[in-house]
Amino acid sequence: MPETIGYHWCKSAYGLWLPGDDRGHWSEAWDAQIGFIEPHALHPGDPVRKRMAAERMKHPAVRFDAAMRTAVENAISECAGDSPWRITAASIEATHTHLVITYRGLDIHRTLKWLSQCTTKAVHQQTSHLGPVWCEGSWSTYLFDDEYWLNTIRYVERHNERRGVGPRPYSFITSVWDLANSGAMK
């Protein structure tokens, strides 16, 4: 089995990319007669499911403004400083966040839950937003291959470039080249 290099994590803001979204969605599909259908698989758009999901929302959809993005950035920076893993790419968008994180033997699901909790707390403390911050669940991929790892970093960096902030706008990002030169990637 290949060795894990790291993870690509994507977390959407509350109320966005609902089940049934035209772009597809990775929520669990439920059929009343046969139960779950391919849990955690990408499912096609379905306007009825999207409408039903929107009707169940208890709060308005969240779009991160500049203050909320800064609060998320500050929390991630603090978490990264207190952790053995490193972030090699990050993008904090108005609707979602991407992180590429090195593998360090920690339970990634606990780590991601911790990051979600810390960023939510920061948004609530540093802005006037008091409702939910993130949607339920998240999307994470294990990265095993150097080429895939580098392509994922480039993918996340392109998000930042489209926003006009440069590929690595956050102080907590560790250059993949610095990791390679220090031997920390192997």
Coordinates of all heavy atoms in Angstrom, one line a residue, residues 56-140:
R56 N -35.2 22.9 4.7 CA -34.8 22.4 6.0 C -33.8 23.3 6.7 O -33.5 23.2 7.9 CB -34.2 21.0 5.9 CG -35.2 20.0 5.6 CD -34.7 18.6 5.8 NE -33.5 18.3 5.0 CZ -33.5 17.8 3.8 NH1 -34.6 17.5 3.2 NH2 -32.4 17.6 3.2
M57 N -33.2 24.3 6.0 CA -32.2 25.1 6.6 C -32.8 26.0 7.7 O -33.9 26.6 7.5 CB -31.5 26.0 5.5 CG -30.5 25.2 4.7 SD -29.8 26.2 3.3 CE -29.3 27.7 4.1
K58 N -32.2 26.1 8.8 CA -32.7 26.9 9.9 C -32.1 28.3 9.9 O -32.5 29.2 10.7 CB -32.4 26.2 11.2 CG -33.2 24.9 11.3 CD -32.9 24.2 12.6 CE -33.7 22.9 12.6 NZ -33.1 21.9 13.4
H59 N -31.0 28.5 9.1 CA -30.3 29.8 9.1 C -30.1 30.2 7.7 O -30.0 29.3 6.8 CB -29.0 29.7 9.9 CG -29.2 29.3 11.3 ND1 -29.5 30.2 12.3 CD2 -29.1 28.1 11.9 CE1 -29.6 29.5 13.4 NE2 -29.3 28.2 13.2
P60 N -29.8 31.5 7.4 CA -29.5 31.8 6.0 C -28.1 31.2 5.6 O -27.2 31.0 6.4 CB -29.4 33.4 6.1 CG -29.8 33.8 7.4 CD -29.9 32.6 8.3
A61 N -27.9 31.1 4.3 CA -26.7 30.6 3.8 C -25.6 31.6 4.1 O -25.8 32.8 4.2 CB -26.7 30.4 2.3
V62 N -24.4 31.1 4.4 CA -23.2 31.9 4.8 C -22.3 32.1 3.6 O -21.9 31.2 2.9 CB -22.4 31.2 5.9 CG1 -21.1 31.9 6.2 CG2 -23.3 31.1 7.1
R63 N -21.9 33.4 3.4 CA -20.9 33.7 2.4 C -19.9 34.5 3.2 O -20.2 35.5 3.9 CB -21.4 34.6 1.3 CG -22.3 33.8 0.4 CD -22.8 34.6 -0.8 NE -21.7 34.7 -1.8 CZ -21.5 33.8 -2.7 NH1 -22.1 32.6 -2.7 NH2 -20.5 33.9 -3.6
F64 N -18.6 34.1 3.3 CA -17.6 34.7 4.1 C -17.3 36.1 3.5 O -16.9 36.2 2.4 CB -16.3 33.9 4.1 CG -16.5 32.6 4.8 CD1 -16.0 31.4 4.2 CD2 -17.3 32.4 6.0 CE1 -16.1 30.2 4.8 CE2 -17.4 31.2 6.6 CZ -16.9 30.1 6.0
D65 N -17.4 37.1 4.4 CA -16.9 38.5 4.0 C -15.5 38.5 4.4 O -14.9 37.6 4.9 CB -17.8 39.5 4.7 CG -17.8 39.5 6.2 OD1 -16.9 38.9 6.8 OD2 -18.7 40.1 6.8
A66 N -14.9 39.7 4.2 CA -13.4 39.8 4.5 C -13.1 39.6 6.0 O -12.1 38.9 6.3 CB -12.9 41.2 4.1
A67 N -14.0 40.0 6.9 CA -13.7 39.8 8.3 C -13.8 38.4 8.7 O -13.0 37.9 9.5 CB -14.7 40.7 9.1
M68 N -14.7 37.7 8.1 CA -14.9 36.2 8.4 C -13.7 35.4 7.8 O -13.2 34.5 8.5 CB -16.2 35.7 7.8 CG -17.4 36.3 8.5 SD -19.0 35.9 7.7 CE -19.3 34.2 8.3
R69 N -13.3 35.8 6.6 CA -12.1 35.1 6.0 C -10.8 35.4 6.9 O -10.0 34.5 7.1 CB -11.9 35.6 4.6 CG -12.9 35.0 3.6 CD -12.5 35.1 2.2 NE -12.3 36.5 1.7 CZ -13.3 37.3 1.2 NH1 -14.5 36.8 1.1 NH2 -13.0 38.5 0.9
T70 N -10.7 36.6 7.4 CA -9.6 36.9 8.3 C -9.6 36.1 9.6 O -8.6 35.5 10.0 CB -9.5 38.4 8.6 OG1 -9.3 39.1 7.4 CG2 -8.4 38.7 9.5
A71 N -10.8 35.9 10.1 CA -11.0 35.1 11.3 C -10.6 33.6 11.1 O -9.9 33.0 11.9 CB -12.4 35.2 11.9
V72 N -11.1 33.1 9.9 CA -10.7 31.7 9.5 C -9.2 31.6 9.4 O -8.6 30.7 9.9 CB -11.5 31.3 8.3 CG1 -10.9 30.0 7.7 CG2 -13.0 31.2 8.6
E73 N -8.6 32.6 8.7 CA -7.2 32.6 8.5 C -6.4 32.6 9.8 O -5.5 31.8 10.0 CB -6.7 33.8 7.6 CG -5.3 33.9 7.4 CD -4.9 35.2 6.7 OE1 -5.7 35.9 6.1 OE2 -3.6 35.5 6.7
N74 N -6.8 33.5 10.7 CA -6.1 33.6 12.0 C -6.2 32.2 12.8 O -5.3 31.8 13.4 CB -6.7 34.7 12.8 CG -6.4 36.1 12.3 OD1 -5.5 36.2 11.5 ND2 -7.2 37.0 12.7
A75 N -7.4 31.6 12.7 CA -7.6 30.4 13.5 C -6.7 29.2 12.9 O -6.1 28.5 13.6 CB -9.1 30.0 13.5
I76 N -6.7 29.2 11.5 CA -5.9 28.1 10.9 C -4.4 28.4 11.2 O -3.7 27.4 11.5 CB -6.2 28.1 9.4 CG1 -7.6 27.6 9.1 CG2 -5.1 27.2 8.7 CD1 -8.0 27.7 7.6
S77 N -4.0 29.6 11.2 CA -2.6 29.9 11.5 C -2.2 29.5 12.9 O -1.2 28.9 13.1 CB -2.4 31.4 11.3 OG -1.0 31.8 11.6
E78 N -3.1 29.8 13.8 CA -2.9 29.4 15.2 C -2.8 27.9 15.4 O -1.9 27.3 16.0 CB -3.9 30.0 16.1 CG -3.7 29.8 17.6 CD -4.7 30.6 18.5 OE1 -5.0 31.7 18.1 OE2 -5.1 30.0 19.5
C79 N -3.8 27.2 14.7 CA -3.8 25.7 14.8 C -2.5 25.1 14.1 O -1.9 24.2 14.7 CB -5.0 25.2 14.1 SG -6.6 25.5 14.9
A80 N -2.1 25.7 13.0 CA -0.9 25.2 12.3 C 0.3 25.4 13.2 O 1.2 24.5 13.2 CB -0.8 25.9 11.0
G81 N 0.4 26.5 13.9 CA 1.5 26.7 14.8 C 1.6 25.8 15.9 O 2.7 25.6 16.5
D82 N 0.5 25.2 16.3 CA 0.4 24.3 17.5 C 0.5 22.8 17.1 O 0.2 22.0 17.9 CB -0.9 24.5 18.3 CG -0.9 25.9 19.0 OD1 0.2 26.5 19.1 OD2 -2.0 26.4 19.3
S83 N 0.7 22.5 15.8 CA 0.6 21.2 15.3 C 1.8 20.7 14.6 O 2.6 21.4 14.1 CB -0.6 21.1 14.3 OG -1.7 21.6 14.9
P84 N 2.0 19.3 14.6 CA 3.2 18.8 13.9 C 3.0 18.8 12.4 O 4.0 18.7 11.7 CB 3.2 17.3 14.4 CG 1.8 17.0 14.8 CD 1.2 18.3 15.3
W85 N 1.8 18.8 11.9 CA 1.6 18.9 10.4 C 1.8 20.3 9.9 O 1.8 21.2 10.6 CB 0.2 18.3 10.1 CG -1.0 18.8 10.9 CD1 -1.5 18.2 11.9 CD2 -1.6 20.1 10.8 NE1 -2.5 18.9 12.5 CE2 -2.6 20.1 11.8 CE3 -1.5 21.2 10.0 CZ2 -3.5 21.2 12.0 CZ3 -2.4 22.3 10.2 CH2 -3.3 22.3 11.2
R86 N 1.9 20.3 8.6 CA 2.2 21.6 7.9 C 1.1 21.8 6.8 O 0.7 20.8 6.2 CB 3.6 21.7 7.3 CG 4.7 21.7 8.3 CD 4.7 23.0 9.2 NE 5.5 22.8 10.3 CZ 5.0 22.7 11.6 NH1 3.8 22.7 11.8 NH2 5.9 22.6 12.6
I87 N 0.8 23.0 6.5 CA -0.1 23.3 5.4 C 0.7 23.8 4.3 O 1.5 24.8 4.4 CB -1.2 24.4 5.9 CG1 -2.0 23.9 7.0 CG2 -2.0 24.8 4.7 CD1 -2.9 24.9 7.7
T88 N 0.6 23.1 3.1 CA 1.4 23.4 2.0 C 0.6 24.2 0.9 O 1.2 24.7 0.0 CB 2.0 22.2 1.3 OG1 0.9 21.3 1.0 CG2 2.9 21.5 2.3
A89 N -0.7 24.3 1.1 CA -1.5 25.1 0.2 C -2.8 25.4 1.0 O -3.3 24.6 1.7 CB -1.8 24.5 -1.1
A90 N -3.4 26.6 0.7 CA -4.6 27.0 1.4 C -5.3 28.0 0.5 O -4.7 28.9 -0.1 CB -4.4 27.5 2.8
S91 N -6.6 28.0 0.5 CA -7.4 29.0 -0.1 C -8.7 29.2 0.7 O -9.4 28.2 1.0 CB -7.8 28.6 -1.5 OG -8.5 29.7 -2.1
I92 N -8.9 30.4 1.2 CA -10.1 30.7 2.0 C -11.0 31.6 1.1 O -10.8 32.8 0.9 CB -9.8 31.4 3.3 CG1 -8.8 30.6 4.1 CG2 -11.0 31.7 4.1 CD1 -8.1 31.3 5.3
E93 N -12.0 30.9 0.5 CA -12.9 31.6 -0.4 C -14.1 32.1 0.3 O -14.4 31.8 1.5 CB -13.4 30.5 -1.5 CG -12.2 29.8 -2.2 CD -11.6 30.7 -3.2 OE1 -12.3 31.4 -3.9 OE2 -10.4 30.7 -3.3
A94 N -15.0 32.8 -0.4 CA -16.3 33.3 0.1 C -17.2 32.2 0.4 O -18.1 32.3 1.3 CB -16.9 34.3 -0.8
T95 N -17.1 31.0 -0.2 CA -18.0 30.0 -0.1 C -17.4 28.7 0.5 O -18.2 27.8 0.8 CB -18.7 29.6 -1.5 OG1 -17.6 29.3 -2.4 CG2 -19.5 30.8 -2.0
H96 N -16.1 28.6 0.5 CA -15.5 27.3 1.0 C -14.0 27.5 1.2 O -13.5 28.6 0.9 CB -15.7 26.2 -0.1 CG -15.0 26.4 -1.4 ND1 -15.4 27.4 -2.3 CD2 -13.9 25.9 -1.9 CE1 -14.6 27.4 -3.3 NE2 -13.7 26.5 -3.2
T97 N -13.4 26.5 1.8 CA -12.0 26.6 2.2 C -11.3 25.3 1.7 O -11.9 24.2 1.9 CB -11.8 26.8 3.7 OG1 -12.3 28.1 4.0 CG2 -10.3 26.7 4.1
H98 N -10.1 25.4 1.2 CA -9.3 24.3 0.8 C -8.0 24.3 1.6 O -7.4 25.4 1.8 CB -8.8 24.4 -0.7 CG -9.8 24.2 -1.7 ND1 -10.1 22.9 -2.1 CD2 -10.6 25.0 -2.4 CE1 -11.1 23.0 -3.1 NE2 -11.4 24.3 -3.2
L99 N -7.6 23.2 2.1 CA -6.3 23.1 2.8 C -5.6 21.8 2.2 O -6.2 20.8 2.1 CB -6.4 22.9 4.3 CG -6.9 24.1 5.1 CD1 -7.0 23.7 6.6 CD2 -6.1 25.3 4.9
V100 N -4.3 21.9 2.0 CA -3.5 20.7 1.7 C -2.5 20.6 2.9 O -1.7 21.5 3.2 CB -2.7 20.9 0.4 CG1 -1.8 19.6 0.1 CG2 -3.6 21.1 -0.8
I101 N -2.7 19.4 3.6 CA -2.0 19.2 4.9 C -1.1 18.0 4.8 O -1.4 17.0 4.2 CB -3.1 19.0 6.0 CG1 -4.1 20.1 6.0 CG2 -2.4 18.7 7.3 CD1 -5.3 19.8 6.9
T102 N 0.1 18.1 5.4 CA 1.1 17.0 5.4 C 0.6 15.9 6.3 O -0.1 16.2 7.3 CB 2.5 17.5 5.8 OG1 2.4 18.0 7.2 CG2 3.1 18.5 4.9
Y103 N 1.0 14.7 6.1 CA 0.7 13.6 6.9 C 1.7 13.6 8.1 O 2.9 13.7 7.9 CB 0.8 12.3 6.2 CG 0.6 11.0 7.0 CD1 -0.6 10.7 7.5 CD2 1.8 10.3 7.4 CE1 -0.7 9.6 8.3 CE2 1.6 9.2 8.2 CZ 0.4 8.8 8.6 OH 0.3 7.7 9.5
R104 N 1.2 13.4 9.3 CA 2.1 13.3 10.5 C 1.6 12.2 11.4 O 1.9 12.3 12.6 CB 2.2 14.6 11.2 CG 3.0 15.7 10.5 CD 4.4 15.2 10.4 NE 5.2 16.2 9.7 CZ 5.6 16.3 8.5 NH1 5.1 15.3 7.6 NH2 6.3 17.2 8.0
G105 N 0.8 11.2 11.0 CA 0.4 10.1 11.8 C -0.8 10.4 12.7 O -1.2 9.6 13.5
L106 N -1.3 11.6 12.7 CA -2.5 12.0 13.5 C -3.8 11.5 12.8 O -3.8 11.4 11.6 CB -2.5 13.5 13.7 CG -1.3 14.1 14.4 CD1 -1.5 15.6 14.5 CD2 -1.2 13.6 15.8
D107 N -4.8 11.3 13.6 CA -6.1 11.0 13.0 C -6.6 12.2 12.2 O -6.9 13.3 12.8 CB -7.1 10.6 14.1 CG -8.4 10.2 13.6 OD1 -9.0 10.8 12.7 OD2 -9.0 9.3 14.2
I108 N -6.7 12.1 10.9 CA -7.1 13.3 10.1 C -8.5 13.7 10.4 O -8.8 14.9 10.4 CB -6.9 13.0 8.6 CG1 -7.0 14.3 7.8 CG2 -7.8 11.9 8.1 CD1 -6.1 15.4 8.1
H109 N -9.4 12.8 10.7 CA -10.8 13.2 11.0 C -10.9 14.0 12.2 O -11.6 15.0 12.3 CB -11.7 12.0 11.0 CG -11.6 11.2 9.7 ND1 -12.1 11.7 8.5 CD2 -11.1 10.0 9.4 CE1 -11.9 10.8 7.6 NE2 -11.3 9.8 8.1
R110 N -10.1 13.7 13.2 CA -10.1 14.5 14.5 C -9.5 15.8 14.2 O -9.9 16.9 14.7 CB -9.3 13.8 15.6 CG -10.1 12.7 16.3 CD -9.2 12.2 17.3 NE -9.9 11.5 18.4 CZ -9.5 10.7 19.3 NH1 -8.2 10.5 19.3 NH2 -10.2 10.2 20.2
T111 N -8.4 15.8 13.4 CA -7.7 17.1 13.1 C -8.7 18.0 12.3 O -8.7 19.2 12.7 CB -6.5 16.8 12.2 OG1 -5.6 16.0 13.0 CG2 -5.8 18.1 11.8
L112 N -9.4 17.5 11.4 CA -10.3 18.4 10.6 C -11.5 18.8 11.4 O -11.9 20.0 11.3 CB -10.8 17.6 9.3 CG -9.7 17.2 8.4 CD1 -10.2 16.4 7.2 CD2 -8.9 18.4 7.9
K113 N -12.0 18.0 12.3 CA -13.0 18.4 13.2 C -12.5 19.6 14.1 O -13.2 20.5 14.3 CB -13.5 17.2 14.1 CG -14.7 17.6 15.0 CD -15.1 16.4 15.7 CE -16.3 16.7 16.7 NZ -16.7 15.6 17.4
W114 N -11.3 19.4 14.6 CA -10.7 20.4 15.5 C -10.5 21.7 14.7 O -10.9 22.8 15.2 CB -9.3 19.9 16.0 CG -8.5 20.9 16.7 CD1 -8.9 21.5 17.9 CD2 -7.2 21.4 16.4 NE1 -7.8 22.3 18.4 CE2 -6.8 22.2 17.5 CE3 -6.3 21.1 15.4 CZ2 -5.6 22.9 17.5 CZ3 -5.1 21.7 15.4 CH2 -4.7 22.6 16.4
L115 N -10.1 21.7 13.4 CA -9.9 22.9 12.6 C -11.3 23.5 12.4 O -11.4 24.8 12.5 CB -9.3 22.5 11.3 CG -7.8 22.4 11.3 CD1 -7.3 21.7 10.0 CD2 -7.1 23.7 11.5
S116 N -12.3 22.7 12.1 CA -13.7 23.3 12.0 C -14.2 24.0 13.2 O -14.7 25.1 13.1 CB -14.7 22.2 11.6 OG -14.3 21.6 10.4
Q117 N -13.9 23.4 14.4 CA -14.4 24.0 15.6 C -13.6 25.3 15.9 O -14.2 26.3 16.3 CB -14.2 23.0 16.8 CG -15.1 21.8 16.7 CD -14.8 20.7 17.7 OE1 -13.7 20.6 18.2 NE2 -15.8 19.9 17.9
C118 N -12.3 25.3 15.7 CA -11.5 26.4 16.0 C -11.9 27.6 15.1 O -11.9 28.8 15.5 CB -10.0 26.1 15.8 SG -9.4 25.0 17.1
T119 N -12.1 27.3 13.8 CA -12.5 28.4 12.8 C -13.9 28.9 13.2 O -14.1 30.1 13.1 CB -12.4 27.9 11.4 OG1 -13.1 26.7 11.2 CG2 -10.9 27.7 11.0
T120 N -14.8 28.1 13.5 CA -16.1 28.5 13.9 C -16.1 29.4 15.1 O -16.7 30.5 15.1 CB -17.0 27.3 14.2 OG1 -17.2 26.5 13.0 CG2 -18.4 27.8 14.7
K121 N -15.3 29.0 16.1 CA -15.1 29.8 17.3 C -14.5 31.2 17.0 O -15.0 32.2 17.5 CB -14.3 29.1 18.3 CG -14.1 29.7 19.7 CD -13.3 28.9 20.6 CE -13.1 29.5 21.9 NZ -12.3 28.7 22.8
A122 N -13.5 31.2 16.1 CA -12.9 32.4 15.7 C -13.9 33.4 15.0 O -13.9 34.6 15.3 CB -11.7 32.2 14.9
V123 N -14.7 32.8 14.1 CA -15.6 33.7 13.4 C -16.6 34.2 14.4 O -17.0 35.4 14.3 CB -16.4 32.8 12.3 CG1 -17.6 33.6 11.8 CG2 -15.4 32.5 11.1
H124 N -17.1 33.5 15.3 CA -18.0 34.0 16.3 C -17.4 35.0 17.2 O -18.1 36.0 17.6 CB -18.6 32.8 17.2 CG -19.5 31.9 16.4 ND1 -19.9 30.7 16.8 CD2 -20.2 32.1 15.2 CE1 -20.7 30.1 15.9 NE2 -20.9 31.0 14.9
Q125 N -16.1 34.9 17.6 CA -15.5 35.8 18.5 C -15.0 37.1 17.8 O -15.0 38.1 18.4 CB -14.3 35.1 19.2 CG -14.7 34.1 20.2 CD -13.5 33.4 20.8 OE1 -12.4 33.4 20.3 NE2 -13.7 32.7 21.9
Q126 N -14.6 37.0 16.5 CA -14.0 38.1 15.8 C -14.9 38.8 14.9 O -14.5 39.8 14.3 CB -12.8 37.6 15.0 CG -11.7 37.0 15.9 CD -10.6 36.4 15.2 OE1 -10.2 36.8 14.1 NE2 -10.0 35.4 15.8
T127 N -16.2 38.3 14.7 CA -17.1 39.0 13.8 C -18.5 39.0 14.4 O -18.7 38.5 15.5 CB -17.2 38.3 12.4 OG1 -18.0 37.1 12.6 CG2 -15.9 38.0 11.8
S128 N -19.4 39.7 13.8 CA -20.8 39.7 14.3 C -21.6 38.5 14.0 O -22.8 38.4 14.4 CB -21.5 41.0 13.8 OG -21.6 41.0 12.4
H129 N -21.1 37.6 13.2 CA -21.8 36.4 12.8 C -21.9 35.4 14.0 O -20.9 35.1 14.6 CB -21.1 35.7 11.6 CG -21.7 34.5 11.1 ND1 -22.8 34.5 10.3 CD2 -21.5 33.2 11.4 CE1 -23.3 33.3 10.1 NE2 -22.5 32.4 10.7
L130 N -23.2 35.0 14.2 CA -23.4 34.1 15.4 C -24.0 32.7 15.0 O -24.0 31.8 15.8 CB -24.3 34.8 16.4 CG -23.8 36.1 17.0 CD1 -24.9 36.7 17.9 CD2 -22.5 35.8 17.8
G131 N -24.4 32.6 13.7 CA -25.0 31.3 13.3 C -24.0 30.3 12.9 O -22.8 30.4 13.1
P132 N -24.5 29.2 12.3 CA -23.6 28.2 11.8 C -22.6 28.8 10.8 O -22.9 29.8 10.1 CB -24.4 27.2 11.1 CG -25.8 27.5 11.4 CD -25.9 28.9 11.9
V133 N -21.4 28.2 10.7 CA -20.3 28.7 9.8 C -20.2 27.7 8.7 O -20.1 28.1 7.5 CB -19.0 28.9 10.6 CG1 -17.9 29.3 9.6 CG2 -19.2 30.0 11.7
W134 N -20.1 26.5 9.0 CA -19.8 25.4 8.0 C -21.0 24.5 7.8 O -21.8 24.3 8.7 CB -18.6 24.6 8.5 CG -17.4 25.3 8.7 CD1 -16.8 25.6 10.0 CD2 -16.5 25.9 7.8 NE1 -15.6 26.4 9.8 CE2 -15.4 26.6 8.5 CE3 -16.5 26.0 6.4 CZ2 -14.4 27.2 7.8 CZ3 -15.5 26.7 5.7 CH2 -14.4 27.3 6.5
C135 N -21.0 23.9 6.7 CA -22.0 22.8 6.4 C -21.6 21.6 7.2 O -20.5 21.5 7.7 CB -22.1 22.5 4.9 SG -20.6 21.7 4.3
E136 N -22.5 20.6 7.3 CA -22.1 19.3 7.9 C -21.1 18.6 7.0 O -21.2 18.7 5.8 CB -23.4 18.5 8.1 CG -24.2 18.9 9.2 CD -25.4 17.9 9.4 OE1 -25.2 16.7 9.2 OE2 -26.4 18.3 9.9
G137 N -20.2 17.9 7.6 CA -19.3 17.1 6.9 C -18.3 17.9 6.1 O -18.3 19.2 6.2
S138 N -17.4 17.3 5.4 CA -16.4 17.9 4.6 C -15.9 16.9 3.6 O -16.3 15.7 3.6 CB -15.3 18.4 5.4 OG -14.6 17.4 6.1
W139 N -15.1 17.3 2.7 CA -14.6 16.4 1.7 C -13.1 16.4 1.9 O -12.4 17.4 1.9 CB -14.9 17.0 0.3 CG -14.4 16.2 -0.9 CD1 -14.9 15.0 -1.4 CD2 -13.2 16.4 -1.6 NE1 -14.2 14.6 -2.4 CE2 -13.1 15.4 -2.6 CE3 -12.2 17.4 -1.6 CZ2 -12.1 15.4 -3.5 CZ3 -11.2 17.4 -2.5 CH2 -11.2 16.4 -3.5
S140 N -12.5 15.2 2.1 CA -11.1 15.1 2.2 C -10.6 13.9 1.4 O -11.2 12.9 1.3 CB -10.7 14.9 3.7 OG -11.3 13.8 4.3

